[in-house]
Amino acid sequence: MLKIESLTRRYPHVTALDGLNMEIGHGQLYGFVGPNGAGKTTTIRIISGLLRPTSGKVWIDGIRAEKETRVLKSKIGYVPDFFGVYDNLTVMEYLEFYSAAYGIDEKEGRLRASEVLERVQLFHIEDRMVDELSRGMQQRLCLARAMIHRPQLLVMDEPASALDPISTAKVEELIHELKKQYTIVIVTHNMQQAARVSDNTAFFYMGQMVEFGDTRKIFTNPDKVETQNYITGRFG
């Protein structure tokens, strides 16, 4: 589903991402873990077409990301860490607006809006104003928005950022359900959260991926003691 080759992003005084190589298969849920400034968000912004790399290549479902931008955006649903709202729209109007932005006709857009609201368990509030919702509900609405065009890859940047424990549990429950249908990449600095929701984990530090693989094996394999100590020291 996702292939990254020698991906690099440099700024005048810092290298944010340094020669990243990785592959993510269809139906996998990958956690990108690391401290602030490790290169996680830079990676997903490049994947999502929001940032151009200095060098390197990205393929989404076999398509070169930088060459087929319009096709790329149809395949990706992006959930940012901060949810912007429109004060004068209801929940349903908000989703209809975004469905129209993807070229979906009005009737189909309303059907899809109802469908994704059901998926995120917000079907009962379609007439509520968006800015009146709690942070947890807004985050789930943002997830619904990311699914409105039926993408294949969901990319989530800190999906439970600033949420209370109950709302966090609700979002993680939804993620577990969604991985039955989507390939998912979740960015977080919370190692425990990545362990709860991800099948595989990539650990980032200073622009490089220092470890990746099956989440459970990394922390239970006796041959990985040195790696475990390194990761715990950096992120624990």
Side-chain angles (χ1 to χ4, degrees), residues 137-151:
M137 285 183 172
Q138 287 184 352
Q139 198 69 5
R140 282 187 278 157
L141 179 59
C142 188
L143 180 53
R145 181 190 72 188
M147 297 188 292
I148 196 74
H149 59 297
R150 296 176 179 167

Side-chain angles (χ1 to χ4, degrees), residues 123-141:
F123 58 88
H124 58 294
I125 64 162
E126 63 179 34
D127 294 323
R128 291 265 303 273
M129 303 302 291
V130 172
D131 64 329
E132 295 176 356
L133 303 181
S134 67
R135 176 63 187 261
M137 285 183 172
Q138 287 184 352
Q139 198 69 5
R140 282 187 278 157
L141 179 59

